[in-house]
Amino acid sequence: MKTGVLSDRQIKEMITSGAISAAAPILNDQIQPASLDLRLGDTAFRVRASFLPGKESSVQERLNSLTMHKIPLTGGAVLEKGCVYVVPLMEQLTLPQGMTAAASAKSSIGRIDLMTRIITDQGIEFDRVQDGYDGPLFAELCPQSFSVVVQPGQLLTQVIFRQGKTMLSDDELRAVHLETPIVSGDPVISDGLGFSVDLQPSEGNLVGYRAKRHTGVLDLAKLGHYNPAEYWEEVRTEDGHIILDPGAFYILVSREAIAIPPNYAAEMAPYLAMVGEFRVHYAGFFDPGFGYDAAGGAGSRGVLEVRCHEAPFVLEHGQVVGRLVYERMSETPEQLYGAGISSNYQGQGLKLSKHFKS
């Protein structure tokens, strides 16, 4: 198999061969251009603390010592903010040698500050599946801002599959930009594509949202249902800067429009420079076609999930806050993001998750 991130067609082949299997038939809607959505199983384990199994243990062995109680998810169950849960997923993997996988929260899940990470047997890193892994997958869930209602079969995480070394060097990324622009304006390329925050919108003064601290629950099955004002405070500025409050969670947007050409995928990663007392969460893989003009995505921005840490911090318009790491695809996908498939965030600007009314 050619080096690169596997396409939708190659993921289907893995399902057919049994390299990806599941407790219930895998649905076509789970297969994205370069990723597979993973489904929650029917039980959550409330645990005392987040954990990694380590090289000597399975997840189940660690659950045996850390579980406080089990919660059936059938019919819907509340996961309370500030608590940690582990949910076995329906899918499991039998990866061939030379192939690894990486997981991430889906966009809508990152935008409601539901920390979602994949763990595996003998795992030593979150969201990373080792070369040739054969075994089950588990999601560790920790709601940070809102308590949530979840049910079996819901799609909170996604996984991509990598054959060999897939990441582009900075010189390769510059060459891609010259052929098919990947960002509006001049690219800032250093260990990926740097992007900055937009605090001077072309219209109005709304630049973001801050999660309220005391709200009702969010039922993940209800789309376009909730009034944003009940969960979010609007963040406005007239002078191109805001002050981030310690412990607060913000939804902001990138200044740049971003594009992922058809033969590439990308992953949002934290900016490596010491840029301040905050973190941009990286709840995101960007599928081939995101922001791509031919797939209807011209002008798509990156939505930023930002948490401030110990001290208040002044965030300025145009400040570099994160980077996109681009990877080559093993082959061009059969379908692109936003082209003929259900894509909630193609062409997006500043936007809350799909659970909220527009």
Side-chain angles (χ1 to χ4, degrees):
M1 184 180 292
K2 187 178 176 183
T3 295
V5 174
L6 271 60
S7 71
D8 45 9
R9 187 194 67 81
Q10 292 167 313
I11 290 172
K12 292 173 187 174
E13 283 188 347
M14 291 180 66
I15 295 169
T16 301
S17 71
I20 303 170
S21 57
I26 295 172
L27 307 175
N28 279 334
D29 286 351
Q30 291 177 244
I31 303 171
Q32 306 301 324
S35 60
L36 176 71
D37 294 343
L38 303 173
R39 297 168 294 180
L40 296 181
D42 57 12
T43 304
F45 296 86
R46 167 76 168 93
V47 293
R48 286 184 284 158
S50 172
F51 67 89
L52 283 166
K55 291 184 178 180
E56 305 302 321
S57 300
S58 68
V59 175
Q60 187 58 57
E61 287 169 341
R62 299 303 303 275
L63 286 175
N64 291 342
S65 61
L66 291 171
T67 296
M68 298 168 67
H69 57 93
K70 294 167 60 173
I71 304 168
L73 301 185
T74 302
V78 175
L79 306 185
E80 297 187 33
K81 73 175 183 178
C83 299
V84 183
Y85 304 86
V86 173
V87 180
L89 298 174
M90 291 189 184
E91 289 75 24
Q92 61 180 33
L93 302 178
T94 305
L95 298 182
Q97 293 299 314
M99 184 180 293
T100 61
S104 171
K106 289 177 63 65
S107 294
S108 293
I109 302 307
R111 292 181 203 205
I112 58 171
D113 201 18
L114 172 50
M115 189 169 71
T116 305
R117 304 187 289 192
I118 295 299
I119 51 178
T120 64
D121 290 344
Q122 289 79 49
I124 57 173
E125 293 181 283
F126 291 110
D127 285 336
R128 294 296 182 261
V129 183
Q130 63 193 21
D131 188 335
Y133 177 76
D134 183 1
L137 299 172
F138 300 80
E140 181 188 276
L141 309 178
C142 183
Q144 303 280 290
S145 291
F146 314 118
S147 297
V148 297
V149 177
V150 301
Q151 299 181 38
Q154 287 182 323
L155 310 172
L156 275 59
T157 55
Q158 57 192 155
V159 62
I160 67 170
F161 301 93
R162 294 173 171 140
Q163 186 70 32
K165 295 187 180 297
T166 62
M167 295 182 185
L168 300 183
S169 69
D170 287 347
D171 286 342
E172 289 171 325
L173 189 55
R174 292 186 186 98
V176 171
H177 178 72
L178 288 175
E179 181 179 344
T180 306
I182 58 174
V183 67
S184 56
D186 295 329
V188 176
I189 295 177
S190 177
D191 293 328
L193 174 69
F195 56 85
S196 61
V197 63
D198 185 4
L199 298 178
Q200 291 180 339
S202 57
E203 296 181 7
N205 60 6
L206 177 66
V207 297
Y209 299 92
R210 179 174 54 206
K212 291 186 173 182
R213 295 189 185 277
H214 307 289
T215 69
V217 298
L218 272 180
D219 187 336
L220 301 189
K222 294 181 177 179
L223 306 183
H225 177 79
Y226 294 99
N227 178 359
E230 295 179 2
Y231 293 82
W232 301 94
E233 299 171 354
E234 293 183 345
V235 178
R236 297 179 179 272
T237 181
E238 300 285 356
D239 53 11
H241 77 266
I242 60 174
I243 298 177
L244 301 178
D245 290 330
F249 178 76
Y250 297 82
I251 296 293
L252 305 172
V253 71
S254 73
R255 182 169 60 106
E256 301 82 3
I258 295 162
I260 314 297
N263 291 319
Y264 302 93
E267 182 177 8
M268 191 181 289
Y271 195 62
L272 293 183
M274 297 298 289
V275 295
E277 292 296 323
F278 66 94
R279 175 172 189 174
V280 176
H281 288 211
Y282 41 105
F285 293 127
F286 288 72
D287 275 303
F290 177 87
Y292 186 61
D293 197 0
S300 295
R301 308 291 188 92
V303 167
L304 312 177
E305 299 136 15
V306 178
R307 183 177 298 283
C308 183
H309 293 314
E310 288 82 5
F313 184 79
V314 178
L315 195 59
E316 304 278 358
H317 174 71
Q319 185 167 345
V320 176
V321 294
R323 61 197 174 98
L324 276 181
V325 178
Y326 279 69
E327 304 178 63
R328 61 180 58 84
M329 293 293 296
S330 176
E331 65 178 29
T332 305
E334 293 178 334
Q335 289 190 298
L336 298 179
Y337 186 90
I341 60 175
S342 176
S343 304
N344 290 290
Y345 304 116
Q346 186 70 299
Q348 73 180 355
L350 177 64
K351 188 173 182 180
L352 295 173
S353 80
K354 61 187 178 183
H355 306 96
F356 296 95
K357 296 175 182 175
S358 299

